[in-house]
Amino acid sequence: MIEIRNVKKVFGPLTVINGINLDVKKGELLCLIGASGSGKSTLLQCINGLEPIQGGEIIVDGVSVHDPKTNINHLRRKLGIVFQQYNAFPHLTAIENVALAPRVVLKKSRSEARKLAQKHLEHVGLGDKANSLPSQLSGGQQQRLAIARALAMEPAYMLFDEVTSALDPELVGEVLETMRLLKREGMTMVVVTHDINFVRESADRVAFLHQGEVCEIGTAEEVIDNPRKEQTQKFLRRERRPAISNQTSAA
Ligand SMILES: Nc1ncnc2c1ncn2[C@@H]1O[C@H](COP(=O)(O)OP(=O)(O)OP(=O)(O)O)[C@@H](O)[C@H]1O
Ligand SMILES: [Mg+2]
């Protein structure tokens, strides 16, 4: 499991994470919601050891992420991470993209890595796109490719940072479906999202972050449908406002 104990993270004078305590249990899907700047992405990057922390501790399967004695590259293999922006290598085909880390990091043979890559492409519904370049894939397919790349390291945990928010609305569903599939298979997941419907349908628990703190945590029924804190209620009212506000901010 992932244990987050009183974690503090600052960027210069700015406190971004202010004493967060959270547990992510095996097989659980925990959603993180909160306004822009509330610290969601930073928290994922701290879990993954991409960002140092200034207080507290994050423990993954009993290993302290920020302990200098920890082999962070080894630990990171347990933690797949997928971002909003697809980050595939443009000159490599889908299967080459997925096979790369198993070959380089896990030292698998070329044929073993390709076999593993094909398996994970099929897993995310891209079995027939193995030889396509990323530019020949739709946005939704590219995000599923990014998920396949993370899965090819056979992680114990998957961290998702707004993986659907750059997609055209008609492509969102296929990516969410892939995440639901992983959940059904028992993957432990931390999902940063603005998609309240996804939270409602899929999250075991949801944490609302406000100014670097966990303001409210519970089931979707508790936090989304019956929020107790005023900040949560305010945030949800804003999120639920029809797409007009999103369109204006995008324009
Ligand atoms: N590398 C950095 N250097 C300095 N400040 C940073 C850095 N990364 C993030 N921040 C600041 O930390 C705060 C939290 O950022 P973070 O990206 O975690 O927010 P978020 O909740 O993911 O927001 P969004 O919903 O917009 O993605 C913001 O005020 C941001 O400007
Ligand atoms: Mg973010």
Side-chain angles (χ1 to χ4, degrees):
M1 68 187 275
I2 301 175
E3 301 162 76
I4 300 170
R5 296 275 172 267
N6 199 19
V7 165
K8 196 169 170 191
K9 166 83 199 166
V10 303
F11 286 114
L14 188 67
T15 297
V16 175
I17 300 203
N18 193 13
I20 284 189
N21 288 289
L22 267 181
D23 282 343
V24 189
K25 300 176 195 82
K26 268 259 163 293
E28 180 176 45
L29 195 164
L30 174 73
C31 280
L32 302 179
I33 60 171
S36 180
S38 57
K40 306 178 297 293
S41 298
T42 305
L43 185 61
L44 288 192
Q45 291 182 350
C46 291
I47 294 173
N48 187 270
L50 289 167
E51 283 288 350
I53 57 177
Q54 283 73 42
E57 191 174 21
I58 300 177
I59 302 165
V60 175
D61 292 345
V63 178
S64 178
V65 176
H66 296 89
D67 184 335
K69 291 195 285 292
T70 295
N71 181 337
I72 189 66
N73 289 325
H74 196 264
L75 188 65
R76 256 190 215 135
R77 288 181 206 163
K78 286 192 170 201
L79 297 155
I81 187 161
V82 183
F83 302 98
Q84 176 177 347
Q85 304 294 351
Y86 355 99
N87 49 359
F89 293 106
H91 57 293
L92 298 181
T93 61
I95 194 166
E96 288 165 348
N97 263 288
V98 180
L100 190 64
R103 273 191 69 192
V104 175
V105 182
L106 302 181
K107 312 279 184 228
K108 296 206 184 274
S109 72
R110 200 186 151 79
S111 72
E112 245 184 320
R114 278 186 80 92
K115 231 166 92 184
L116 186 71
Q118 183 64 34
K119 178 178 108 178
H120 286 292
L121 285 174
E122 281 164 19
H123 197 174
V124 301
L126 291 178
D128 57 341
K129 298 289 181 188
N131 296 313
S132 302
L133 290 168
S135 60
Q136 296 167 326
L137 300 177
S138 73
Q141 290 168 340
Q142 292 189 38
Q143 274 308 49
R144 286 186 283 139
L145 174 61
I147 295 171
R149 274 209 326 188
L151 290 174
M153 296 298 284
E154 317 225 290
Y157 303 92
M158 286 287 286
L159 314 175
F160 293 91
D161 194 355
E162 302 208 40
V163 291
T164 59
S165 52
L167 296 177
D168 291 335
E170 70 271 20
L171 301 176
V172 167
E174 61 190 65
V175 177
L176 294 182
E177 192 42 45
T178 301
M179 292 162 72
R180 288 193 199 99
L181 171 69
L182 296 180
K183 154 97 179 127
R184 288 197 296 276
E185 292 171 348
M187 178 62 79
T188 309
M189 300 156 78
V190 184
V191 178
V192 172
T193 183
H194 283 278
D195 190 326
I196 299 298
N197 286 329
F198 177 77
V199 176
R200 230 202 224 101
E201 289 162 20
S202 307
D204 295 303
R205 285 188 307 154
V206 50
F208 168 64
L209 266 57
H210 181 68
Q211 296 178 349
E213 296 178 20
V214 176
C215 178
E216 194 162 349
I217 183 165
T219 62
E221 202 184 330
E222 290 162 347
V223 177
I224 305 290
D225 297 331
N226 302 288
R228 293 188 315 192
K229 295 276 178 68
E230 197 187 315
Q231 289 96 328
T232 321
Q233 294 165 0
K234 234 172 161 173
F235 168 77
L236 288 169
R237 273 200 298 276
R238 272 202 307 273
E239 284 294 295
R240 286 206 181 98
R241 254 201 306 248
I244 315 165
S245 56
N246 290 337
Q247 278 166 16
T248 9
S249 61

